[in-house]
Amino acid sequence: MPEEKQAKSIDKATLEMLDKAAEEGIATVFDRAEKMKPCPIGADGSCCKNCAMGPCRVPLAKGKEETPEEKKARVGVCGATAETISARNFARMIAAGSASHSDHGRRVIEAFKLMAEGKTKDFEIKDEQKLLKLALDMGVEIGNRSNNEIALDIANKCENEFGKQEGELLFIKNAPIKRQEIWRNLGVVPRGIDREIVELMHRTHMGVDQDYRNLMLQGTRAALADGWGGSMIATEIQDCMFGTPSPVLSEINLGVLKEDMVNLVIHGHEPALAEMLAVVSQEPEMVKYAESKGAKGINLAGMCCTANEILMRHGVPIAGNFLQQELAIVTGALDAMVVDVQCIMQGIKEVASCFHTKIITTDNRAKMTGAEYMAFDEHNPKESARAIVRAAIDNYTKRGKNVRIPNIKQPLIAGFSHETISYLLGGLFRASYRPLNDNIINGRIRGLAGVVGCNNARTTHDSGHIAMIKELIKNDVLVLSTGCGAMAAAKAGLMVPEAAKKYCGEGLAEICETVGIPPVLHMGACVDNSRILIAATAVVKDGGLGDDISDLPAAGAAPEWMSEKAIAIGQYFVASGVYTVFGTTWPTSGSKEFTNHLFKDMEEMYGGKWDFQPDPVQAAQLMIAHIDKKRKALGIDKARERVLYDMDMRRELEG
Ligand code: NFS
């Protein structure tokens, strides 16, 4: 029987634009993925190219048990074993992922410092309460000092977290006490963010660390330096400067583009420029300028995590998630795609060459051959943003006749910072996680799941996220989401309160309806996974559910992951005590021993562990089983039935 072709997406807007691309002979990521299969040796982590004696390939023969002799022979030219090679590759993914999140955090601090020093007037403190709380947490004097004086001290302290050579990262103290002890006992508390990443790169160089256990201790240090360091710093400082998110209504999918307006999509990860674009695109002079070119106004929309940032704080609509970036251009209605850093496919340039769309790079760390570079000047952010908006408006006049915008979009509610969750549940004057804890203890909410991460062209777009989330909420698991996973959920209509009645088990539906929240809470961009860590810690601190994150009936997943950042996130979740299951593909399959270390040993070390399950419904069942195990350990298990999907229900899901 011929192999059944995998559906490209479950999202109708995506499918419609893929048809348009096909009609016009335009290749996208979906076509390239079909044309080029992944290298099976590299996909399993069995290829080492860390020196010029290689690349060495040490693939594991599939379908039969390996003999000890065969295992012994599976080494690189230098003698590196499959275990070492696999661990090095995995560790380097962590290093790259942690570097990306952390360098994002560093840029945010730079802007924050300029603001504090009065060198830019366009940024300001938007959340004074959060600033003061940060000051208290970080030991910064408040007294009679101005906000900017306090902010400058905080900026300097945060900056120091990157280059610190000794001691412990400051935000480690945000974790439950017991967690901190576990880390100290294992010796994995990060010193400085940069130091841990550099040391990991050193240790994975040819001929350095050859013990996968030891390598992963450093991998964990670098990952924790991301989750409880770079990412957490980014989130906290962004909240001070741009405001802590609170519930906001918006819309998502390609249908947010408008035929009669200048369409400008901001794509990437960092919020500073996007914040300014959100402001200046509404300025009367700008709108007038757009009208002078025949447009009805300026329509700003987001893509990937920059989109999440400005959605959370301003309700700016989202055009789509990772795999939709080229398709926004295929509509023919996009006048400019403005990019900063991360997750930007080079393919957008080629697709844009078939239309009038201008690709504008704005960050000196991420330029693209053939695209126009318009530097974002942090000293003068508003002016930079105005120049970009003007360029988009000018380009509107070049829009061709070949325009088709799918008439598909969904409403969503976003803005669930951990502060918001406690206000919503506890009330403005007694904000607390108590009601959440009580409802977990009484079983209305079975547990919590973080479903996060990317899209991956090797699996049906959005399908993993949606199948997994529906299975979880059906079983009364409240889902916290970030990144492209959150966008998938929103597009499927799961981020409105009405979704509770339709998709949730009785207990969860009751809570959502009473509080007026959706069953899937949008917590922001991928750096905002740190919000999930803080929320989990708040649940621990509120009491009744153990004294560590690993005691909570909670689990994490990235069913469609693809980025190195996802591996860094996974490792800091595991090291923070969370059972974490990934889908699509597993990058250490070439070494059973090393995979065992991640899937088994880590549970003894950290109370959390990795797992891999490409079927999203089965993966959800693994998460639920883990949640039930934790409920039992806490003594709050009462007999409850697990809803299992039958084939009809699955078909309905996929249809
Ligand atoms: Ni996260 Fe956000 Fe999306 Fe994946 Fe990329 S945009 S930082 S890496 S693809 S979720």
Side-chain angles (χ1 to χ4, degrees), residues 160-169 190-197 225:
N160 191 41
E161 291 295 275
F162 287 84
K164 209 158 72 180
Q165 300 301 317
E166 285 303 329
E168 296 186 345
L169 275 194
R191 295 157 291 187
I193 298 162
D194 294 350
R195 173 161 196 180
E196 304 311 352
I197 296 166

CSV table of all heavy atoms in Angstrom, one decimal, residues 160-169 190-197 225:
chain,number,residue,atom,x,y,z
A,160,ASN,N,24.6,42.3,35.4
A,160,ASN,CA,25.6,41.6,36.1
A,160,ASN,C,25.3,40.1,36.1
A,160,ASN,O,26.3,39.3,36.2
A,160,ASN,CB,25.7,42.1,37.5
A,160,ASN,CG,26.9,41.6,38.3
A,160,ASN,OD1,28.0,41.5,37.7
A,160,ASN,ND2,26.8,41.3,39.5
A,161,GLU,N,24.1,39.7,36.0
A,161,GLU,CA,23.7,38.3,36.0
A,161,GLU,C,24.3,37.6,34.8
A,161,GLU,O,24.5,36.4,34.8
A,161,GLU,CB,22.2,38.1,36.0
A,161,GLU,CG,21.5,38.6,37.2
A,161,GLU,CD,21.9,37.7,38.4
A,161,GLU,OE1,21.3,36.6,38.6
A,161,GLU,OE2,22.8,38.1,39.1
A,162,PHE,N,24.6,38.3,33.7
A,162,PHE,CA,25.1,37.7,32.5
A,162,PHE,C,26.6,37.4,32.7
A,162,PHE,O,27.1,36.3,32.4
A,162,PHE,CB,24.9,38.6,31.3
A,162,PHE,CG,23.5,38.6,30.9
A,162,PHE,CD1,22.5,39.4,31.5
A,162,PHE,CD2,23.0,37.7,29.9
A,162,PHE,CE1,21.2,39.4,31.1
A,162,PHE,CE2,21.7,37.7,29.5
A,162,PHE,CZ,20.8,38.6,30.1
A,163,GLY,N,27.3,38.4,33.2
A,163,GLY,CA,28.8,38.2,33.3
A,163,GLY,C,29.3,37.7,34.6
A,163,GLY,O,30.5,37.5,34.8
A,164,LYS,N,28.4,37.4,35.5
A,164,LYS,CA,28.8,37.0,36.9
A,164,LYS,C,29.7,35.7,36.8
A,164,LYS,O,29.3,34.7,36.1
A,164,LYS,CB,27.6,36.8,37.7
A,164,LYS,CG,27.8,37.0,39.2
A,164,LYS,CD,26.5,37.3,39.9
A,164,LYS,CE,25.6,36.1,40.0
A,164,LYS,NZ,24.3,36.4,40.7
A,165,GLN,N,30.8,35.6,37.5
A,165,GLN,CA,31.6,34.4,37.4
A,165,GLN,C,31.4,33.5,38.6
A,165,GLN,O,31.7,32.3,38.5
A,165,GLN,CB,33.1,34.9,37.4
A,165,GLN,CG,33.5,35.7,36.2
A,165,GLN,CD,33.2,35.1,34.9
A,165,GLN,OE1,33.5,33.9,34.7
A,165,GLN,NE2,32.6,35.8,34.0
A,166,GLU,N,31.0,34.0,39.7
A,166,GLU,CA,30.8,33.2,40.9
A,166,GLU,C,29.5,33.4,41.5
A,166,GLU,O,28.7,34.3,41.1
A,166,GLU,CB,31.9,33.6,42.0
A,166,GLU,CG,33.3,33.2,41.6
A,166,GLU,CD,33.4,31.7,41.5
A,166,GLU,OE1,32.6,30.9,42.1
A,166,GLU,OE2,34.3,31.2,40.7
A,167,GLY,N,29.2,32.6,42.5
A,167,GLY,CA,27.9,32.7,43.3
A,167,GLY,C,26.7,32.1,42.6
A,167,GLY,O,26.9,31.1,41.8
A,168,GLU,N,25.5,32.6,42.9
A,168,GLU,CA,24.3,32.0,42.3
A,168,GLU,C,23.5,33.0,41.6
A,168,GLU,O,23.5,34.2,42.0
A,168,GLU,CB,23.5,31.4,43.5
A,168,GLU,CG,24.1,30.3,44.2
A,168,GLU,CD,23.1,29.7,45.3
A,168,GLU,OE1,22.1,30.4,45.6
A,168,GLU,OE2,23.4,28.6,45.7
A,169,LEU,N,22.8,32.6,40.6
A,169,LEU,CA,21.9,33.6,39.9
A,169,LEU,C,20.8,34.0,40.9
A,169,LEU,O,20.3,33.3,41.7
A,169,LEU,CB,21.2,32.8,38.7
A,169,LEU,CG,21.8,32.8,37.4
A,169,LEU,CD1,20.8,32.3,36.4
A,169,LEU,CD2,22.5,34.0,36.9
A,190,PRO,N,23.2,27.8,38.5
A,190,PRO,CA,24.0,28.6,37.6
A,190,PRO,C,24.7,29.7,38.3
A,190,PRO,O,24.2,30.3,39.3
A,190,PRO,CB,23.0,29.1,36.6
A,190,PRO,CG,21.7,28.4,36.9
A,190,PRO,CD,21.8,27.9,38.2
A,191,ARG,N,25.9,30.0,37.8
A,191,ARG,CA,26.7,31.2,38.4
A,191,ARG,C,26.2,32.4,37.5
A,191,ARG,O,25.4,33.1,37.9
A,191,ARG,CB,28.1,30.9,38.3
A,191,ARG,CG,28.6,29.7,39.1
A,191,ARG,CD,29.8,29.0,38.7
A,191,ARG,NE,29.6,28.3,37.4
A,191,ARG,CZ,30.5,27.5,36.9
A,191,ARG,NH1,31.7,27.3,37.4
A,191,ARG,NH2,30.3,26.9,35.7
A,192,GLY,N,26.8,32.6,36.4
A,192,GLY,CA,26.4,33.7,35.5
A,192,GLY,C,25.8,33.0,34.2
A,192,GLY,O,26.3,32.0,33.8
A,193,ILE,N,24.9,33.7,33.6
A,193,ILE,CA,24.3,33.2,32.4
A,193,ILE,C,25.3,32.9,31.3
A,193,ILE,O,25.4,31.8,30.7
A,193,ILE,CB,23.2,34.1,31.8
A,193,ILE,CG1,22.1,34.3,32.9
A,193,ILE,CG2,22.6,33.6,30.5
A,193,ILE,CD1,21.2,35.5,32.7
A,194,ASP,N,26.1,33.9,30.9
A,194,ASP,CA,27.1,33.7,29.9
A,194,ASP,C,28.1,32.6,30.2
A,194,ASP,O,28.4,31.8,29.4
A,194,ASP,CB,27.8,35.0,29.6
A,194,ASP,CG,26.9,36.1,29.0
A,194,ASP,OD1,25.8,35.8,28.7
A,194,ASP,OD2,27.4,37.3,28.9
A,195,ARG,N,28.5,32.6,31.4
A,195,ARG,CA,29.5,31.6,31.9
A,195,ARG,C,29.0,30.2,31.6
A,195,ARG,O,29.8,29.3,31.1
A,195,ARG,CB,29.8,31.8,33.3
A,195,ARG,CG,30.7,30.7,33.8
A,195,ARG,CD,31.5,31.0,35.1
A,195,ARG,NE,32.6,30.0,35.1
A,195,ARG,CZ,33.4,29.9,36.1
A,195,ARG,NH1,33.5,30.7,37.0
A,195,ARG,NH2,34.4,28.9,36.0
A,196,GLU,N,27.8,29.9,32.0
A,196,GLU,CA,27.3,28.5,31.8
A,196,GLU,C,27.2,28.1,30.3
A,196,GLU,O,27.5,27.0,30.0
A,196,GLU,CB,25.9,28.4,32.5
A,196,GLU,CG,25.9,28.7,34.0
A,196,GLU,CD,27.0,28.1,34.9
A,196,GLU,OE1,27.7,27.3,34.4
A,196,GLU,OE2,27.1,28.5,36.0
A,197,ILE,N,26.8,29.1,29.5
A,197,ILE,CA,26.7,28.8,28.1
A,197,ILE,C,28.0,28.6,27.5
A,197,ILE,O,28.3,27.6,26.7
A,197,ILE,CB,25.8,29.9,27.4
A,197,ILE,CG1,24.4,29.9,27.9
A,197,ILE,CG2,25.8,29.6,25.8
A,197,ILE,CD1,23.6,31.1,27.5
A,225,ALA,N,20.0,28.5,33.7
A,225,ALA,CA,20.4,29.9,33.5
A,225,ALA,C,19.5,30.6,32.5
A,225,ALA,O,19.4,31.8,32.4
A,225,ALA,CB,21.8,30.0,33.0
